[in-house]
Amino acid sequence: MKRKHITGFLATALMVGGLLAGCSGKEEATPASGDSKPKKAEFTFRLADNHPVDYPTVIGDKKFAELVNERTDGRIKIEVFPSGQLGDEKSVLEQVQLGAIEFTRINSSPLAEFNDDFAVFGLPYVFESDEHLWNFLDSETGTELLDGLEASKMKGLAYYSSGSRSFYSTKPVKSLADLKGQKLRVQQSKVNIDLVAALGASATPMPYGEVFSGLQTGIIDGAENNLPSFDSSNHYQEAKNIILDHHQRMPEVLLISQTAWNKLSEEDQKIVKQAALDSVTTQKEEWAKWEQNSEKKLKDAGVTFTEVEDLNEWKEAVKPVIAQYQDKYKDLLDAVDAAK
């Protein structure tokens, strides 16, 4: 009888031990028979991007996925879904927070809803050049911004280039005065609405996918974006005038869901982070090519370009906008100034 009790106790102990081992949260598979080391975990993740397949950000996404695949010997596969296949930016972000989609590439503007400090990129004329912007992005403050998304169940991995944004319209725009009274589409953010109002125009928040029809029907007179987006969206077919005021330089951000990040071992986290940073060079090179090609294509299509030679009038007009946020973003703006 004692032997039966002992046998039963051992069986129960082994079963409980097995259950505990199965619930340990480790992502490593059971080693094959005879193997001395556990087999490393394998994953297949998805990366969403709303731009076309040949757009610079998508090329950056694919370089990132390629580097992760190479450096994990194929254990971690990242499938890139361009052209909004997995949904618009808002719905994708929600799914990233839930862990339903593992990666996305998104513009920094909507991220201000999750980390208010990202609104600094929307402040007009605070970055004088791409070099100035990248000095800031590569600084400790730039890294802290990416890390600050963790509170919203996301982790920023790297910044991608997005050039500068300027205004384009179906009406002639050769000066600041020409913008007055025009209905201009903006991204949904208070800074953008305040910016357009300060310049004398009427801000019209609208989903990006509705801008082309809005230009066609006259619901809006114009919008604002970088040259590659002005080109790839075909907005130039309706809006034949662009004034290069470079009012904003808003980077793109490559993100991973905190849920997916937590599944990775510390070694794999380092691989994913470094692959993201290493993909930036490819993305920036492609961006530079696209900007040049887009400018030529747009001019060949009859788009009238006007370069603002003196921004003083424009900067003076938006001083109330800067003043409104000066105290709130004092430390960030000090870091921006230090990056010049």
Side-chain angles (χ1 to χ4, degrees):
M1 183 64 70
K2 287 183 179 180
R3 181 178 295 177
K4 286 182 180 179
H5 282 308
I6 292 170
T7 302
F9 173 78
L10 288 173
T12 302
L14 286 171
M15 182 177 69
V16 172
L19 287 171
L20 289 173
C23 297
S24 66
K26 291 183 179 179
E27 293 293 334
E28 294 180 344
T30 305
S33 178
D35 288 349
S36 59
K37 295 181 180 180
K39 184 180 178 182
K40 293 183 178 180
E42 297 181 2
F43 301 97
T44 298
F45 293 140
R46 297 185 297 170
L47 194 166
D49 198 306
N50 68 336
H51 284 305
V53 66
D54 57 345
Y55 198 80
T57 57
V58 177
I59 293 174
D61 299 338
K62 290 181 176 179
K63 183 64 177 179
F64 164 61
E66 174 190 319
L67 291 173
V68 171
N69 186 66
E70 287 177 357
R71 294 172 185 180
T72 61
D73 296 322
R75 284 189 303 103
I76 302 179
K77 296 179 176 64
I78 300 173
E79 299 174 350
V80 178
F81 291 83
S83 304
Q85 293 179 53
L86 300 184
D88 60 25
E89 286 191 336
K90 186 176 186 297
S91 63
V92 165
L93 264 183
E94 291 171 352
Q95 293 183 74
V96 167
Q97 285 186 292
L98 293 171
I101 294 176
E102 294 82 16
F103 293 89
T104 188
R105 186 284 318 155
I106 191 168
N107 187 266
S108 54
S109 178
L111 291 176
E113 294 182 26
F114 304 96
N115 180 346
D116 195 49
D117 287 344
F118 273 88
V120 73
F121 294 115
L123 295 179
Y125 311 112
V126 295
F127 293 104
E128 297 178 351
S129 64
D130 283 343
E131 181 182 8
H132 180 194
L133 171 65
W134 278 98
N135 286 343
F136 174 78
L137 297 180
D138 291 336
S139 71
E140 183 179 344
T141 304
T143 301
E144 288 171 355
L145 275 177
L146 291 179
D147 293 340
L149 292 168
E150 292 180 7
S152 298
K153 300 181 181 179
M154 300 178 282
K155 183 172 180 62
L157 296 174
Y159 295 104
Y160 279 171
S161 188
S162 189
S164 62
R165 301 174 75 93
S166 294
F167 294 101
Y168 52 87
S169 177
T170 57
K171 300 178 179 180
V173 183
K174 292 186 175 296
S175 68
L176 175 58
D178 291 334
L179 282 181
K180 295 191 183 302
Q182 290 203 33
K183 295 171 291 184
L184 301 178
R185 180 266 176 180
V186 295
Q187 292 174 304
Q188 180 64 58
S189 81
K190 188 175 186 305
V191 172
N192 282 324
I193 293 170
D194 291 344
L195 160 62
V196 168
L199 296 177
S202 176
T204 307
M206 177 184 291
Y208 187 62
E210 297 176 14
V211 175
F212 187 84
S213 62
L215 293 168
Q216 274 186 320
T217 58
I219 293 175
I220 54 173
D221 300 310
E224 52 84 48
N225 218 316
N226 53 54
L227 287 184
S229 293
F230 182 37
D231 165 16
S232 65
S233 64
N234 292 320
H235 292 173
Y236 70 91
Q237 294 178 7
E238 297 296 326
K240 293 290 187 182
N241 307 278
I242 185 166
I243 185 162
L244 301 176
D245 69 304
H246 311 290
H247 53 269
Q248 291 169 331
R249 286 180 164 83
M250 307 178 75
E252 309 287 345
V253 180
L254 187 61
L255 292 173
I256 182 173
S257 162
Q258 192 69 49
T259 301
W261 180 257
N262 291 342
K263 289 180 180 179
L264 300 174
S265 66
E266 186 176 345
E267 177 187 358
D268 285 343
Q269 288 176 348
K270 289 178 180 177
I271 289 173
V272 168
K273 174 67 175 179
Q274 192 58 51
L277 294 173
D278 291 345
S279 71
V280 173
T281 299
T282 296
Q283 194 275 335
K284 289 170 75 173
E285 289 172 351
E286 289 299 318
W287 185 267
K289 293 177 190 174
W290 257 71
E291 280 195 320
Q292 291 177 350
N293 293 338
S294 290
E295 183 173 355
K296 183 179 185 308
K297 176 182 174 181
L298 293 167
K299 286 181 176 178
D300 290 345
V303 174
T304 299
F305 278 69
T306 300
E307 182 76 54
V308 178
E309 300 295 341
D310 185 357
L311 282 171
N312 285 332
E313 181 185 12
W314 298 70
K315 289 180 177 180
E316 189 66 29
V318 301
K319 273 186 176 180
V321 180
I322 301 294
Q324 188 177 345
Y325 297 96
Q326 186 74 47
D327 292 340
K328 185 175 185 179
Y329 299 116
K330 183 182 184 305
D331 291 343
L332 282 169
L333 289 172
D334 286 346
V336 169
D337 286 340
K340 288 181 181 178

